[in-house]
Amino acid sequence: MSVSVAPPEREDAAGAQPKVATPPPPSDDRRWRQVDVRIRRLGGRPDALIEVLHTVQEVFGYLDDDALTYVSEALGVPPSRVVGVATFYSHFLMKPQGLHTCVVCTGTACYINGARGILQKLRDTLGIDAGGTTPDGRVSLLSARCLGACSMAPAVVVDGDVHGKMTTAEMDHILETL
Ligand code: FES
């Protein structure tokens, strides 16, 4: 029995990567060019899915339907898989976020050390649930399962800064500074 094996992709004589064709972007927003460049650099491979989603989120702040469709077409990954990956990881945001983000850890260590009370305090003060953004677009409230700061439980990340041993009073104070 003979088995044919596709030859590996080669760089051309100048050392350039093989050309990668990408679909037309969803709009003429120039930021798509950054995404396009990243896809080409990664070779347009299906296994670059997570890296490309990271790039789209870095560039646009979140992933919308148009972005997911574009990534699906550009990488040749079924739309269901792209949506599945984007919604599986809490890092990926499916809606535009507020000016400030507040992530409350609801993992076990934080939960038993008072995260529930802090989350409730934020819900009451901001008038939104986890996953929501205040109507004025000022603050987005998120929850996460373990932020990797269990020794500081309960932990809250505000605009990327980890605040440990959080109390409702301290949370109030932080909100006033936003
Ligand atoms: S459980 Fe909250 S940081 Fe780990």
Side-chain angles (χ1 to χ4, degrees), residues 48-134:
L49 175 58
I50 290 180
E51 285 174 75
V52 172
L53 290 176
H54 272 294
T55 301
V56 175
Q57 182 160 300
E58 267 172 37
V59 171
F60 291 97
Y62 68 106
L63 308 170
D64 66 7
D65 289 347
D66 284 347
L68 297 179
T69 301
Y70 179 73
V71 170
S72 164
E73 289 173 4
L75 301 182
V77 176
S80 58
R81 172 146 176 74
V82 176
V83 172
V85 168
T87 54
F88 178 78
Y89 293 103
S90 59
H91 167 79
F92 292 125
L93 305 169
M94 310 305 286
K95 290 189 285 192
Q97 297 300 290
L99 190 58
H100 302 283
T101 55
C102 196
V103 185
V104 179
C105 179
T106 55
T108 305
C110 290
Y111 191 83
I112 61 178
N113 280 287
R116 197 165 96 169
I118 290 165
L119 189 55
Q120 190 58 51
K121 173 76 181 169
L122 283 163
R123 281 195 187 115
D124 294 344
T125 305
L126 299 171
I128 53 174
D129 278 324
T133 299
T134 53

